[in-house]
């Protein structure tokens, strides 16, 4: 019955459980290239790349007009630099979420919905051995919309205007849950990121690992 659901996967903390220093280095270089500064981020887990960058730049006094003018160039620079740096990076210590390789092939309609820029997300899942499971042209990414809730409409449009009430987000943060709710979708929260199950209780279902995902989806599809 899970073929009746469109399942949208977050990346950080959901599929990839390891902090990515390659992203940090690429982001610093891209910020310096576009705005001449490399502020430390004020990260909110689950937020989009655009929102994180705007927040960091505002904190050092850059106004929204200057931020807006530079965001497209920053997204392009970050994406290019990340792919280049990752090419020679040792990611042997990266941890794939337990149960991911077994659970994902059992889901008929799946795509990525992540705050990462698309090039970053796809490079990461390629390193994790999941690239074949996520076709190009689907999902939604963090340089396409600034607010996470707005990514849902884009992902559903790319899936043939899939209904919101038959769309399920799989994520690991309260923002993942809140975004799904606000978009009229459902949410399965997986407690493999920085947030515990009690922080994710607003989701339709909270699971300990992706090994439990197929059964959770069957319950939602029933």
């Amino acid at each position: 019955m899970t073929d009746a659901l469109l399942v949208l996967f977050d990346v950080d903390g959901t599929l990839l459980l390891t902090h990515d220093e390659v992203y940090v280095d690429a982001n610093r270089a891209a910020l310096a290239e576009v705005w001449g500064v490399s502020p430390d981020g004020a990260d909110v887990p689950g937020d989009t790349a655009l929102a994180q960058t705007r927040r960091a730049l505002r904190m050092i006094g850059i106004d929204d007009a200057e931020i807006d003018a530079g965001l497209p160039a920053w997204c392009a620079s970050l994406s290019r630099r990340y792919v280049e740096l990752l090419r020679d990076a040792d990611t042997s210590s990266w941890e794939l979420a337990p149960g991911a390789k077994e659970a994902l092939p059992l889901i008929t309609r799946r795509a990525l919905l992540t705050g990462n820029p698309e090039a970053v997300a796809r490079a990461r899942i390629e390193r994790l051995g999941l690239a074949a499971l996520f076709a190009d042209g689907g999902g939604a990414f963090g340089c396409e919309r600034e607010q996470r809730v707005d990514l849902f409409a884009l992902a559903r449009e790319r899936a043939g205007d899939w209904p919101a009430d038959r769309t399920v987000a799989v994520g690991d943060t309260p923002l993942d849950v809140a975004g799904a709710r606000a978009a009229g979708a459902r949410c399965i929260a997986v407690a493999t990121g920085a947030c515990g199950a009690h922080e994710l209780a607003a989701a339709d279902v909270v699971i300990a690992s992706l090994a439990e995902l197929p059964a959770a989806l069957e319950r939602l599809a029933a």
Side-chain angles (χ1 to χ4, degrees):
M1 293 181 65
T2 57
D3 60 352
L5 301 174
L6 171 63
V7 185
L8 302 173
F9 287 87
D10 178 52
V11 176
D12 297 338
T14 301
L15 297 176
L16 172 62
L17 304 189
T18 307
H19 177 67
D20 184 358
E21 284 295 329
V22 177
Y23 185 92
V24 174
D25 292 342
N27 187 35
R28 284 177 179 154
L31 288 166
E33 177 184 334
V34 176
W35 289 285
V37 294
S38 297
D40 291 331
D43 290 351
V44 174
D47 217 344
T48 68
L50 292 176
Q52 302 278 24
T53 298
R54 184 180 301 278
R55 188 180 303 112
L57 292 170
R58 279 176 171 172
M59 288 178 66
I60 62 168
I62 298 179
D63 65 35
D64 281 334
E66 186 176 353
I67 294 170
D68 288 337
L71 282 174
W74 169 79
C75 279
S77 177
L78 169 61
S79 297
R80 182 184 69 254
R81 290 174 183 276
Y82 182 83
V83 171
E84 290 172 354
L85 289 174
L86 188 65
R87 189 175 299 125
D88 297 322
D90 178 7
T91 57
S92 59
S93 63
W94 277 13
E95 181 183 0
L96 173 64
K101 283 194 173 179
E102 295 76 23
L104 267 62
L106 302 178
I107 299 165
T108 304
R109 302 179 190 275
R110 56 183 178 268
L112 298 171
L113 189 149
T114 172
N116 301 159
E118 182 170 8
V120 172
R122 293 198 181 278
R124 284 174 168 172
I125 64 167
E126 183 174 1
R127 280 294 176 104
L128 292 170
L130 303 177
L133 298 174
F134 294 100
D136 291 344
F141 303 89
C143 272
E144 296 183 304
R145 300 289 186 272
E146 189 161 342
Q147 302 305 315
R148 192 177 188 97
V149 62
D150 295 331
L151 293 175
F152 284 84
L154 183 57
R156 292 192 299 103
E157 177 185 339
R158 288 171 172 165
D161 294 324
W162 196 261
D165 62 357
R166 289 196 282 130
T167 300
V168 181
V170 180
D172 65 289
T173 73
L175 194 57
D176 297 332
V177 179
R181 292 290 196 194
R186 307 176 82 177
C187 185
I188 295 175
V190 55
T192 50
C195 300
H198 65 288
E199 298 172 271
L200 304 170
D204 292 277
V205 182
V206 180
I207 57 178
S209 80
L210 292 179
E212 301 174 29
L213 181 60
L217 289 169
E218 288 288 353
R219 293 200 297 275
L220 290 185

